[in-house]
Amino acid sequence: MALWNPFALDDRACVLFRVSLALFVLCDLASRVAMPGSLYWYTDSKLEPASVLNSVDTPHRAPLHKVWFFRGSLDFQMLVFGIHFIVATLHLLGIYPRLSTLALWFATTAMHGRQECFHDGSDKYMRNLLLLSCFLPNRRKALRNQVTKPKGKVGLSSIMTTSGSVAVVLQIVLMYAGVLYRRIFTGSPWMPSQGTAVGHAAVGSFAARGPLLPYLVTQDVSWVLSVGAMFGELFMPVVILLTTSAQWTRLLAFVAAIGIHGGIYAMFNLPQWSSIAVIATLCLMPSPALDALERLFPKACSVIWGLSDNNNSDISHDTSDGISTGAITPETPSAVDVSGGEVNTIVRQRQSVKQGVDGDHKSDATEEDGIMSRRSSEDVDQSKKSARNKARSPRPVSLVRNIIGAAFIALMVYEWGATDGFFYKSFDNGDIGQAIRFYQGWVMFSDPTIGESSYVVITARLNTTEGEPVLLDMLKTVRTGELDPLSKSDFQQLMQVPECIQCTYPSWRYERFIQQWQQKNGMEKLMKLRQIGRHYCHVLKGMTATTTTDKQDASSSSKLSLVVDKDTAIRLEIFAFKTLAPTATIPVFHRGDARQSFDTEYTCNDFMN
């Protein structure tokens, strides 16, 4: 009987995880290129004046990071993004999967390091998963050895335990445990004694869907959702550690992830976090569920499994660094035997055929018996002796890979204890993890009621050829790509906090950028503002439009040509407000009165030479 092992993963689940993660990275790259500002988010302002960030605006001062996270010119970014797309495609197709995984992690980490102004926990989670995936069995051993299966049966597979499977499973467990422990440790409003976290977040400024959602979040609804989220985050690590990939019950982890993160996506505009969290649990898919998928969708599964069999020469295709707990089919208990860490594949065609449901299989079994009987005993003995010798002498590459994988596991657990568990202070202040951008620290709305929520208004004042200045809503300008001057009524409406604040931003990453800026204090906030102003000046530079000065009064309208020059002014205002719990008169979570908390203006003369 196989030992209980929550860290063993089905090789098909590993392939499904790899393919989904590669698709996710490709979609992320496409969204970054399509985002307003595009590659100028990653360039150096010394080489590209239109860059969003200043050349000195980076937390990475180490010599390694200066090379690894080099920004360069727009042409350089076009080159590295092109290479990034190619590497992600190779990873998707399963071409040299271990090498392409390492290259994809390297490229993704470099992209994140070139700018840190609109990333969140989902980007860190993706980086960690990519790095740990280098140690996963990214290829189906049973397929590579062409194990014959009887007609009507699902595909053979192996449940493997490698340093990569242990690392990935532990990362998923530690992420949920970290979120849960932080909330319990801080006594946050997620706890049953309060249960107000979701209510405050739903009427806050960051990522809240709106506009109808806040009116549905009563005290009771908030309590159920807040406590339910805590229960789900507790349930995830427990069900993962108490089940194995050979059991149907492991599927509960995938179902729970869909429930938790589907709910997050429904209430908050955090598409990337919801997606990567669900993709991570694909590697936990149990063998019975994968067998069922093969029966229901044989062609689709054949295509996906085929993406793991594109190159026989990759050293990552062997599974000598792992321990197999047996092959999983409906009938066959084992298709892969492992001895001392080296896999010895045995094609059990006779056993498979005898268990077939088709009568024709009996004749096939007779033919196979004849073939097996003609094998000389000397060849059999020599084969067994060779297998035993290999088992006693593990491949050096596999040994090194296991040692490196074990080192990352130790680093991950240690960093978690310092940053999420608060059990001790890290001896290196987290420098080792920060050096390779592999660290823990899972905050995730730990306390949404801390501080004030806010609404940001960014306007631009442009001169015209007729001499009468006009105002633009800059967030709308970058969202639509059009210069549309504000009328008096439009401006008055712009100064009022809208129901759906996140709807005013071009994308969720853009909202994250503005949110991180407004959380800065003192000189750092002013420095960030200068960066925003410079970027907007260059966005407007060279743009022209013909429109009317007042949409509400057609009789006084006139055609004006907008001029973007050094006198163009960028003004940024912040209106702060409190999120309030239900009262006797207002039975839902709501917002307090807004007040202006910040107002600064720069002219493009400060940024454009």
Side-chain angles (χ1 to χ4, degrees), residues 453-485:
S453 288
S454 56
Y455 166 56
V456 176
V457 176
I458 305 175
T459 55
R461 187 179 68 250
L462 285 75
N463 291 326
T464 64
T465 54
E466 288 73 13
E468 183 178 358
V470 296
L471 291 177
L472 296 177
D473 177 0
M474 282 306 303
L475 290 178
K476 181 180 178 181
T477 298
V478 297
R479 186 175 67 246
T480 62
E482 299 177 356
L483 291 171
D484 189 9

mmCIF file of all heavy atoms in Angstrom, residues 453-485:
data_model
loop_
_atom_site.group_PDB
_atom_site.id
_atom_site.type_symbol
_atom_site.label_atom_id
_atom_site.label_comp_id
_atom_site.label_asym_id
_atom_site.label_seq_id
_atom_site.Cartn_x
_atom_site.Cartn_y
_atom_site.Cartn_z
ATOM 1 N N SER A 453 -9.644 56.025 2.166
ATOM 2 C CA SER A 453 -9.749 55.774 0.736
ATOM 3 C C SER A 453 -9.676 57.111 0.018
ATOM 4 O O SER A 453 -9.823 58.177 0.638
ATOM 5 C CB SER A 453 -11.057 55.055 0.416
ATOM 6 O OG SER A 453 -11.019 53.719 0.866
ATOM 7 N N SER A 454 -9.462 57.082 -1.261
ATOM 8 C CA SER A 454 -9.271 58.351 -1.962
ATOM 9 C C SER A 454 -9.686 58.238 -3.425
ATOM 10 O O SER A 454 -9.763 57.147 -3.992
ATOM 11 C CB SER A 454 -7.811 58.804 -1.866
ATOM 12 O OG SER A 454 -6.954 57.800 -2.363
ATOM 13 N N TYR A 455 -9.937 59.386 -3.991
ATOM 14 C CA TYR A 455 -10.312 59.522 -5.398
ATOM 15 C C TYR A 455 -9.348 60.516 -6.026
ATOM 16 O O TYR A 455 -9.157 61.622 -5.509
ATOM 17 C CB TYR A 455 -11.760 60.009 -5.498
ATOM 18 C CG TYR A 455 -12.176 60.501 -6.859
ATOM 19 C CD1 TYR A 455 -12.060 59.702 -7.994
ATOM 20 C CD2 TYR A 455 -12.720 61.783 -7.012
ATOM 21 C CE1 TYR A 455 -12.452 60.155 -9.233
ATOM 22 C CE2 TYR A 455 -13.125 62.248 -8.255
ATOM 23 C CZ TYR A 455 -12.984 61.431 -9.362
ATOM 24 O OH TYR A 455 -13.382 61.881 -10.596
ATOM 25 N N VAL A 456 -8.710 60.124 -7.110
ATOM 26 C CA VAL A 456 -7.673 60.937 -7.745
ATOM 27 C C VAL A 456 -8.222 61.579 -9.014
ATOM 28 O O VAL A 456 -8.848 60.908 -9.844
ATOM 29 C CB VAL A 456 -6.427 60.088 -8.070
ATOM 30 C CG1 VAL A 456 -5.391 60.913 -8.810
ATOM 31 C CG2 VAL A 456 -5.834 59.512 -6.786
ATOM 32 N N VAL A 457 -7.982 62.886 -9.138
ATOM 33 C CA VAL A 457 -8.361 63.629 -10.345
ATOM 34 C C VAL A 457 -7.098 64.215 -10.954
ATOM 35 O O VAL A 457 -6.339 64.913 -10.268
ATOM 36 C CB VAL A 457 -9.363 64.758 -10.016
ATOM 37 C CG1 VAL A 457 -9.661 65.573 -11.280
ATOM 38 C CG2 VAL A 457 -10.644 64.184 -9.434
ATOM 39 N N ILE A 458 -6.852 63.915 -12.216
ATOM 40 C CA ILE A 458 -5.693 64.453 -12.920
ATOM 41 C C ILE A 458 -6.191 65.226 -14.138
ATOM 42 O O ILE A 458 -6.854 64.657 -15.016
ATOM 43 C CB ILE A 458 -4.728 63.340 -13.369
ATOM 44 C CG1 ILE A 458 -4.326 62.474 -12.175
ATOM 45 C CG2 ILE A 458 -3.489 63.938 -14.028
ATOM 46 C CD1 ILE A 458 -3.461 61.283 -12.549
ATOM 47 N N THR A 459 -5.930 66.491 -14.169
ATOM 48 C CA THR A 459 -6.375 67.325 -15.280
ATOM 49 C C THR A 459 -5.171 67.980 -15.947
ATOM 50 O O THR A 459 -4.110 68.147 -15.343
ATOM 51 C CB THR A 459 -7.347 68.426 -14.807
ATOM 52 O OG1 THR A 459 -6.729 69.190 -13.768
ATOM 53 C CG2 THR A 459 -8.632 67.813 -14.290
ATOM 54 N N ALA A 460 -5.357 68.353 -17.192
ATOM 55 C CA ALA A 460 -4.332 69.070 -17.951
ATOM 56 C C ALA A 460 -4.951 70.345 -18.508
ATOM 57 O O ALA A 460 -6.072 70.322 -19.030
ATOM 58 C CB ALA A 460 -3.794 68.201 -19.080
ATOM 59 N N ARG A 461 -4.248 71.453 -18.362
ATOM 60 C CA ARG A 461 -4.699 72.739 -18.910
ATOM 61 C C ARG A 461 -3.853 73.066 -20.125
ATOM 62 O O ARG A 461 -2.635 73.233 -20.035
ATOM 63 C CB ARG A 461 -4.580 73.839 -17.857
ATOM 64 C CG ARG A 461 -5.192 75.167 -18.312
ATOM 65 C CD ARG A 461 -5.090 76.257 -17.257
ATOM 66 N NE ARG A 461 -3.704 76.666 -17.041
ATOM 67 C CZ ARG A 461 -3.020 76.399 -15.938
ATOM 68 N NH1 ARG A 461 -3.582 75.699 -14.956
ATOM 69 N NH2 ARG A 461 -1.765 76.817 -15.808
ATOM 70 N N LEU A 462 -4.513 73.134 -21.274
ATOM 71 C CA LEU A 462 -3.822 73.372 -22.536
ATOM 72 C C LEU A 462 -4.235 74.711 -23.125
ATOM 73 O O LEU A 462 -5.409 75.130 -23.005
ATOM 74 C CB LEU A 462 -4.138 72.271 -23.560
ATOM 75 C CG LEU A 462 -3.474 70.904 -23.385
ATOM 76 C CD1 LEU A 462 -4.117 70.123 -22.262
ATOM 77 C CD2 LEU A 462 -3.563 70.114 -24.682
ATOM 78 N N ASN A 463 -3.297 75.373 -23.739
ATOM 79 C CA ASN A 463 -3.612 76.578 -24.505
ATOM 80 C C ASN A 463 -4.211 76.186 -25.846
ATOM 81 O O ASN A 463 -4.116 75.023 -26.280
ATOM 82 C CB ASN A 463 -2.354 77.425 -24.722
ATOM 83 C CG ASN A 463 -1.863 78.044 -23.422
ATOM 84 O OD1 ASN A 463 -2.674 78.391 -22.560
ATOM 85 N ND2 ASN A 463 -0.553 78.178 -23.282
ATOM 86 N N THR A 464 -4.813 77.134 -26.496
ATOM 87 C CA THR A 464 -5.371 76.911 -27.823
ATOM 88 C C THR A 464 -4.831 77.976 -28.763
ATOM 89 O O THR A 464 -4.272 79.000 -28.345
ATOM 90 C CB THR A 464 -6.910 76.982 -27.807
ATOM 91 O OG1 THR A 464 -7.308 78.324 -27.448
ATOM 92 C CG2 THR A 464 -7.482 76.004 -26.788
ATOM 93 N N THR A 465 -5.022 77.772 -30.048
ATOM 94 C CA THR A 465 -4.570 78.765 -31.028
ATOM 95 C C THR A 465 -5.366 80.055 -30.900
ATOM 96 O O THR A 465 -4.902 81.118 -31.303
ATOM 97 C CB THR A 465 -4.728 78.200 -32.452
ATOM 98 O OG1 THR A 465 -6.087 77.768 -32.636
ATOM 99 C CG2 THR A 465 -3.794 77.021 -32.663
ATOM 100 N N GLU A 466 -6.575 79.963 -30.329
ATOM 101 C CA GLU A 466 -7.402 81.146 -30.145
ATOM 102 C C GLU A 466 -7.115 81.834 -28.819
ATOM 103 O O GLU A 466 -7.709 82.863 -28.498
ATOM 104 C CB GLU A 466 -8.888 80.761 -30.214
ATOM 105 C CG GLU A 466 -9.363 80.412 -31.610
ATOM 106 C CD GLU A 466 -8.845 79.052 -32.073
ATOM 107 O OE1 GLU A 466 -8.326 78.288 -31.234
ATOM 108 O OE2 GLU A 466 -8.941 78.760 -33.273
ATOM 109 N N GLY A 467 -6.230 81.247 -27.994
ATOM 110 C CA GLY A 467 -5.822 81.894 -26.758
ATOM 111 C C GLY A 467 -6.635 81.516 -25.536
ATOM 112 O O GLY A 467 -6.289 81.892 -24.416
ATOM 113 N N GLU A 468 -7.712 80.778 -25.686
ATOM 114 C CA GLU A 468 -8.553 80.408 -24.546
ATOM 115 C C GLU A 468 -8.178 78.990 -24.091
ATOM 116 O O GLU A 468 -8.322 78.026 -24.834
ATOM 117 C CB GLU A 468 -10.025 80.432 -24.947
ATOM 118 C CG GLU A 468 -10.959 80.125 -23.784
ATOM 119 C CD GLU A 468 -12.427 80.209 -24.188
ATOM 120 O OE1 GLU A 468 -12.693 80.545 -25.366
ATOM 121 O OE2 GLU A 468 -13.282 79.943 -23.340
ATOM 122 N N PRO A 469 -7.676 78.832 -22.868
ATOM 123 C CA PRO A 469 -7.259 77.502 -22.403
ATOM 124 C C PRO A 469 -8.446 76.582 -22.157
ATOM 125 O O PRO A 469 -9.562 77.032 -21.865
ATOM 126 C CB PRO A 469 -6.506 77.805 -21.102
ATOM 127 C CG PRO A 469 -7.112 79.074 -20.611
ATOM 128 C CD PRO A 469 -7.460 79.870 -21.836
ATOM 129 N N VAL A 470 -8.183 75.287 -22.272
ATOM 130 C CA VAL A 470 -9.208 74.276 -22.009
ATOM 131 C C VAL A 470 -8.620 73.233 -21.055
ATOM 132 O O VAL A 470 -7.412 73.127 -20.881
ATOM 133 C CB VAL A 470 -9.685 73.589 -23.305
ATOM 134 C CG1 VAL A 470 -10.360 74.570 -24.230
ATOM 135 C CG2 VAL A 470 -8.511 72.910 -24.003
ATOM 136 N N LEU A 471 -9.521 72.463 -20.427
ATOM 137 C CA LEU A 471 -9.122 71.423 -19.490
ATOM 138 C C LEU A 471 -9.395 70.044 -20.067
ATOM 139 O O LEU A 471 -10.403 69.840 -20.768
ATOM 140 C CB LEU A 471 -9.874 71.575 -18.168
ATOM 141 C CG LEU A 471 -9.529 72.774 -17.288
ATOM 142 C CD1 LEU A 471 -10.435 72.807 -16.055
ATOM 143 C CD2 LEU A 471 -8.072 72.736 -16.872
ATOM 144 N N LEU A 472 -8.516 69.098 -19.755
ATOM 145 C CA LEU A 472 -8.690 67.708 -20.151
ATOM 146 C C LEU A 472 -8.685 66.825 -18.906
ATOM 147 O O LEU A 472 -7.932 67.090 -17.949
ATOM 148 C CB LEU A 472 -7.559 67.248 -21.081
ATOM 149 C CG LEU A 472 -7.409 67.919 -22.440
ATOM 150 C CD1 LEU A 472 -6.178 67.347 -23.138
ATOM 151 C CD2 LEU A 472 -8.646 67.694 -23.291
ATOM 152 N N ASP A 473 -9.496 65.795 -18.924
ATOM 153 C CA ASP A 473 -9.417 64.741 -17.916
ATOM 154 C C ASP A 473 -8.364 63.748 -18.401
ATOM 155 O O ASP A 473 -8.597 62.997 -19.342
ATOM 156 C CB ASP A 473 -10.787 64.069 -17.770
ATOM 157 C CG ASP A 473 -10.768 62.897 -16.786
ATOM 158 O OD1 ASP A 473 -9.698 62.604 -16.221
ATOM 159 O OD2 ASP A 473 -11.823 62.265 -16.603
ATOM 160 N N MET A 474 -7.179 63.739 -17.762
ATOM 161 C CA MET A 474 -6.071 62.957 -18.281
ATOM 162 C C MET A 474 -6.318 61.451 -18.191
ATOM 163 O O MET A 474 -5.872 60.697 -19.056
ATOM 164 C CB MET A 474 -4.779 63.316 -17.553
ATOM 165 C CG MET A 474 -4.150 64.614 -18.030
ATOM 166 S SD MET A 474 -3.886 64.660 -19.820
ATOM 167 C CE MET A 474 -2.861 63.230 -20.081
ATOM 168 N N LEU A 475 -6.991 60.988 -17.151
ATOM 169 C CA LEU A 475 -7.272 59.556 -17.061
ATOM 170 C C LEU A 475 -8.193 59.118 -18.198
ATOM 171 O O LEU A 475 -8.026 58.035 -18.762
ATOM 172 C CB LEU A 475 -7.894 59.224 -15.708
ATOM 173 C CG LEU A 475 -6.950 59.325 -14.500
ATOM 174 C CD1 LEU A 475 -7.702 59.006 -13.205
ATOM 175 C CD2 LEU A 475 -5.763 58.379 -14.660
ATOM 176 N N LYS A 476 -9.136 59.968 -18.540
ATOM 177 C CA LYS A 476 -10.012 59.661 -19.676
ATOM 178 C C LYS A 476 -9.231 59.738 -20.979
ATOM 179 O O LYS A 476 -9.443 58.934 -21.889
ATOM 180 C CB LYS A 476 -11.192 60.637 -19.709
ATOM 181 C CG LYS A 476 -12.160 60.373 -20.847
ATOM 182 C CD LYS A 476 -13.314 61.360 -20.828
ATOM 183 C CE LYS A 476 -14.260 61.109 -22.003
ATOM 184 N NZ LYS A 476 -15.386 62.087 -22.006
ATOM 185 N N THR A 477 -8.301 60.688 -21.067
ATOM 186 C CA THR A 477 -7.513 60.834 -22.282
ATOM 187 C C THR A 477 -6.675 59.592 -22.552
ATOM 188 O O THR A 477 -6.639 59.079 -23.677
ATOM 189 C CB THR A 477 -6.602 62.070 -22.177
ATOM 190 O OG1 THR A 477 -7.422 63.245 -22.053
ATOM 191 C CG2 THR A 477 -5.714 62.193 -23.397
ATOM 192 N N VAL A 478 -5.984 59.081 -21.515
ATOM 193 C CA VAL A 478 -5.172 57.885 -21.728
ATOM 194 C C VAL A 478 -6.048 56.644 -21.867
ATOM 195 O O VAL A 478 -5.634 55.653 -22.470
ATOM 196 C CB VAL A 478 -4.157 57.698 -20.578
ATOM 197 C CG1 VAL A 478 -3.178 58.849 -20.543
ATOM 198 C CG2 VAL A 478 -4.851 57.535 -19.237
ATOM 199 N N ARG A 479 -7.272 56.699 -21.322
ATOM 200 C CA ARG A 479 -8.170 55.547 -21.442
ATOM 201 C C ARG A 479 -8.768 55.444 -22.835
ATOM 202 O O ARG A 479 -8.928 54.349 -23.385
ATOM 203 C CB ARG A 479 -9.284 55.661 -20.388
ATOM 204 C CG ARG A 479 -10.199 54.441 -20.312
ATOM 205 C CD ARG A 479 -11.203 54.556 -19.178
ATOM 206 N NE ARG A 479 -12.188 55.601 -19.371
ATOM 207 C CZ ARG A 479 -12.300 56.688 -18.641
ATOM 208 N NH1 ARG A 479 -11.440 56.916 -17.652
ATOM 209 N NH2 ARG A 479 -13.244 57.589 -18.881
ATOM 210 N N THR A 480 -9.109 56.580 -23.436
ATOM 211 C CA THR A 480 -9.773 56.577 -24.743
ATOM 212 C C THR A 480 -8.831 56.904 -25.886
ATOM 213 O O THR A 480 -9.153 56.613 -27.040
ATOM 214 C CB THR A 480 -10.932 57.590 -24.744
ATOM 215 O OG1 THR A 480 -10.396 58.913 -24.529
ATOM 216 C CG2 THR A 480 -11.930 57.263 -23.639
ATOM 217 N N GLY A 481 -7.691 57.530 -25.583
ATOM 218 C CA GLY A 481 -6.773 57.935 -26.640
ATOM 219 C C GLY A 481 -7.239 59.152 -27.406
ATOM 220 O O GLY A 481 -6.744 59.422 -28.499
ATOM 221 N N GLU A 482 -8.190 59.905 -26.842
ATOM 222 C CA GLU A 482 -8.741 61.073 -27.521
ATOM 223 C C GLU A 482 -8.616 62.303 -26.630
ATOM 224 O O GLU A 482 -8.710 62.224 -25.405
ATOM 225 C CB GLU A 482 -10.214 60.851 -27.880
ATOM 226 C CG GLU A 482 -10.441 59.682 -28.823
ATOM 227 C CD GLU A 482 -11.921 59.465 -29.100
ATOM 228 O OE1 GLU A 482 -12.742 60.203 -28.479
ATOM 229 O OE2 GLU A 482 -12.258 58.593 -29.907
ATOM 230 N N LEU A 483 -8.413 63.457 -27.278
ATOM 231 C CA LEU A 483 -8.406 64.737 -26.583
ATOM 232 C C LEU A 483 -9.826 65.288 -26.585
ATOM 233 O O LEU A 483 -10.347 65.667 -27.626
ATOM 234 C CB LEU A 483 -7.446 65.712 -27.269
ATOM 235 C CG LEU A 483 -5.953 65.393 -27.159
ATOM 236 C CD1 LEU A 483 -5.154 66.314 -28.055
ATOM 237 C CD2 LEU A 483 -5.499 65.515 -25.726
ATOM 238 N N ASP A 484 -10.438 65.293 -25.425
ATOM 239 C CA ASP A 484 -11.837 65.710 -25.319
ATOM 240 C C ASP A 484 -11.960 66.745 -24.208
ATOM 241 O O ASP A 484 -12.080 66.401 -23.029
ATOM 242 C CB ASP A 484 -12.710 64.499 -25.010
ATOM 243 C CG ASP A 484 -14.191 64.819 -25.108
ATOM 244 O OD1 ASP A 484 -14.516 65.923 -25.580
ATOM 245 O OD2 ASP A 484 -15.008 63.973 -24.704
ATOM 246 N N PRO A 485 -11.906 68.035 -24.533
ATOM 247 C CA PRO A 485 -11.964 69.083 -23.504
ATOM 248 C C PRO A 485 -13.224 68.987 -22.652
ATOM 249 O O PRO A 485 -14.298 68.618 -23.122
ATOM 250 C CB PRO A 485 -11.950 70.379 -24.323
ATOM 251 C CG PRO A 485 -11.253 70.012 -25.579
ATOM 252 C CD PRO A 485 -11.674 68.597 -25.869
#
